[in-house]
Amino acid sequence: MALCEYCRNIPAKLFSFRRNDQCDYDHHPSLNALKGSATAAGCQGCRLFLHAIESSTAQHAGKYALAKTWSVDEPVRLSSTKFGWQMVRVGWKEAGHFRTFDVPSDWRGESPPGFTERAEDSTADMLYESELIKRWSSHCLESHNCFAKPEDTRFLPTRLIDVGTTAEPTLRLIRSTEIQSPNRLYLALSHCWGLAMPDAARTVSLTLNSHMISIPAGTLPKTFQDFIDIARRLEIQYVWIDSLCIIQDSREDWEKEAAQMAQVYSTAHLTIAASGSADGRGGCHVEGNVRSYGPVDIECPLDDSTSEKEDLTKTFRLWSRDTYPVGQILTADPLMKRGWTLQERELAPRIVHYSKDTIRWECREQRATIEFPWGDPASFDVGRLFDGGSSARPTTFGLPASDPSKMEDATKQSLSWFELVSRYTNRSLTKQTDVLLALSGIARSIAASTSDEYCAGLWKSYFAHCLLWASDWHMSRGLKQHTRPANYLAPSWSWASVKGPIQYLSWVNGYSFTYNADPDPAYVPRLIDVSLQASTDQYGILLGGALQIEGKFGVAFSRQEAYAMPKDHTNTTFSDGPQDRLTLFGMSASRTVEKVGEIRYDVPLCSECAPVGTMKPVFLLCCMNSKKSPDGTMRTFAIALEGADTPEEGQQLPSGAPSQYRRVGVAWGIDPSFWTRGVTATITIV
């Protein structure tokens, strides 16, 4: 590989992420000189740095594109950063990004096709990518604990698609009972339906028999065609695509198959995710004008004082790319915005993401990309909950290796579920009535592993904690995100009853440092009965539900105030007023009105229905106490309720307490003395 003197002398410290090793390196004396070395002299390192500069203004970089403020006479420098990438500077101005990692010995000499003007989906790229996926899969199966449990490998979806082989392609729907071969591997597709799904891409009652004979390949969306080609190159004969393997106009078949979703994805050999495609037209491929440019391998001498090994050199692999943060791309991909696909990602033991910029491999023990196939966690978002979590919200399966603290499994399970609810409700559903069904696979998986009982999005073993969810609204995002749709979704005590993002507040049991794993029983309500009326499946669509519960019960009222308004387009500074809550008032022991806490309504009160100054009474059911503060004090948390009695025409309801209640919000900051002025009551919440 041809390298100029400047590139050959790049110090190893430039590629270090350690703070003490951060440095700058003077490269070419001018941008013109860099261009000359890249073109006339043919230095591949200079070509890569020049590409980094030229792509920094690319359309794909979006809001992260750099303004071209440098001149061709200014010197070129390379700079370290601690953010997982390095920087090209012209003068001292940031002009482009590149990424570098040292190459493990078993990956040296192996790299994808590079430095060619690729056509999209070039044969060389596709062959390399297929061999790389095979290598990742083999390594996972041989060395990781990611594969399906032996007792689960007998499962096959009701129907699969037989795609044949590259040499002898076929395409037909089959019943899995027809498979006699001991090789029962299949691939599952995770994709966005979009609004352009053609009729030919769906199996309905009228086309079921014809699809069992043959599916016309040319009528399928590009995403399906690419997926089928990937399966053939990987030598996997069977695939599962939801729209073809489930009878779309049969509610009975659809609900039956949806109930198996956890097994479909958790026992698939691989899940192929069309992450970068908003609908079936996008395909499963990396876009040539977005993918990284390279690679260039540079061998750097190591400082003798920092190396105790015989090898005094290290090989680094460089790729240039546009300035869009590589760790945010997967989060921004269309697939990650859809509700159904959350469980598809979480449940898959191995998943291959086809993003616009690269292919990402994700299993429970490795995250990698085409560019750095031995490991590239910086190219991922927050990751999958079942693979690990943050120290604040760890998952059921353990804290990150870097966190030495200990935490009970039950606490990890609770915090994991809270985070899952937050991620899920920030995604979109075409049909909001699928809100529980689209999460049912994960719920079944957790129930099977914990023997806990699932109740409309809440868990019986920590039911009081689960009740304390909150609608995630704030004035910076407006007040119209959250509604309770007219079509029944779930009981009001379930977060699934609200359309819009949900969170478990950090100051109300939402994080490890506030989570009270051992609350005082005096402040925890007693669950008497949960009754749910399901359509066909207790994990799926509900037709009704009620909760009978006994606990401390009190009355307060909120006063509507003028909400704060953003002072500018940045939504970072606000006028005076509440931004995400209202104050709660009640009667003190001396019969004067005093502040007793704060409330966030599930659906914010609008100015038309609650003008400024409106006093709104609410009933409060105590659910939990906080941990004690250093001075020995504590506060309590509650859910806010209103009466749910609806009189029939001409009927008068008796005065006094309602016979049923519905939830309207969550309250916090309540002094324990408030409950001494209330009662202990058994109530029904619908």
Side-chain angles (χ1 to χ4, degrees), residues 615-647:
M615 308 296 282
K616 180 177 175 63
V618 290
F619 301 97
L620 298 178
L621 175 70
C622 184
C623 291
M624 190 76 54
N625 62 287
S626 68
K627 292 180 178 179
K628 286 188 176 181
S629 62
D631 63 5
T633 61
M634 67 177 183
R635 291 293 184 265
T636 62
F637 315 121
I639 57 173
L641 308 166
E642 67 179 8
D645 293 322
T646 305

Side-chain angles (χ1 to χ4, degrees), residues 178-493:
E178 298 175 31
I179 300 176
Q180 301 301 319
S181 168
N183 183 355
R184 299 161 65 86
L185 301 181
Y186 67 92
L187 304 185
L189 177 65
S190 179
H191 67 109
C192 289
W193 279 48
L195 301 176
M197 180 75 76
D199 290 341
R202 311 171 193 238
T203 295
V204 295
S205 302
L206 287 175
T207 59
L208 176 61
N209 289 336
S210 64
H211 281 182
M212 302 292 281
I213 299 170
S214 177
I215 300 173
T219 63
L220 296 180
K222 179 170 173 52
T223 297
F224 290 13
Q225 294 184 35
D226 288 352
F227 173 56
I228 290 164
D229 288 342
I230 291 167
R232 290 170 180 158
R233 290 197 298 273
L234 295 178
E235 301 176 278
I236 304 294
Q237 185 176 352
Y238 305 109
V239 303
W240 188 87
I241 302 174
D242 54 0
S243 65
L244 287 170
C245 294
I246 300 174
I247 304 172
Q248 296 300 310
D249 61 347
S250 168
R251 190 71 187 182
E252 180 183 358
D253 190 69
W254 196 83
E255 292 191 3
K256 172 177 170 288
E257 296 303 311
Q260 298 187 132
M261 208 67 77
Q263 290 175 290
V264 169
Y265 284 96
S266 63
T267 59
H269 175 63
L270 290 175
T271 292
I272 305 296
S275 301
S277 300
D279 55 38
R281 297 170 294 186
C284 300
H285 63 88
V286 180
E287 294 187 4
N289 63 336
V290 178
R291 71 163 73 228
S292 297
Y293 185 82
V296 171
D297 285 359
I298 295 180
E299 191 171 289
C300 297
L302 299 175
D303 185 342
D304 290 355
S305 64
T306 62
S307 176
E308 299 177 358
K309 300 180 180 178
E310 292 182 10
D311 257 345
L312 297 180
T313 63
K314 184 174 283 189
T315 300
F316 293 92
R317 180 161 296 170
L318 285 67
W319 292 86
S320 75
R321 53 172 295 113
D322 62 45
T323 48
Y324 197 103
V326 66
Q328 296 182 25
I329 289 178
L330 193 60
T331 302
D333 276 343
L335 192 67
M336 300 301 142
K337 301 181 185 303
R338 305 303 302 167
W340 275 96
T341 62
L342 175 69
Q343 67 177 6
E344 296 167 10
R345 181 182 180 191
E346 288 286 351
L347 295 172
R350 290 164 296 277
I351 186 165
V352 180
H353 300 274
Y354 278 80
S355 295
K356 290 181 179 180
D357 67 321
T358 192
I359 294 175
R360 290 171 167 80
W361 167 272
E362 188 172 31
C363 69
R364 288 171 185 166
E365 297 188 29
Q366 184 182 21
R367 290 186 285 177
T369 58
I370 297 174
E371 293 77 23
F372 304 109
W374 53 86
D376 188 10
S379 283
F380 287 76
D381 53 9
V382 291
R384 305 192 299 179
L385 279 166
F386 287 11
D387 294 346
S390 68
S391 58
R393 281 185 166 176
T395 74
T396 307
F397 297 94
L399 286 164
S402 60
D403 193 324
S405 62
K406 302 294 183 183
M407 188 176 291
E408 294 295 328
D409 284 346
T411 299
K412 288 185 285 187
Q413 177 184 329
S414 304
L415 294 172
S416 178
W417 182 254
F418 296 166
E419 176 69 12
L420 193 71
V421 169
S422 176
R423 293 187 188 184
Y424 175 62
T425 55
N426 273 278
R427 296 180 174 221
S428 300
L429 291 166
T430 302
K431 298 178 180 178
Q432 194 62 28
T433 50
D434 290 343
V435 60
L436 289 171
L437 191 61
L439 199 63
S440 62
I442 289 180
R444 287 177 192 279
S445 180
I446 293 174
S449 63
T450 63
S451 300
D452 205 345
E453 187 174 343
Y454 185 66
C455 305
L458 285 66
W459 295 94
K460 263 196 176 178
S461 67
Y462 52 105
F463 197 83
H465 291 83
C466 287
L467 283 171
L468 293 168
W469 53 269
S471 289
D472 185 11
W473 60 266
H474 190 277
M475 283 306 300
S476 63
R477 299 185 292 273
L479 294 179
K480 296 184 179 180
Q481 281 186 299
H482 294 80
T483 60
R484 274 200 162 95
N487 291 334
Y488 188 85
L489 303 177
S492 67
W493 42 265

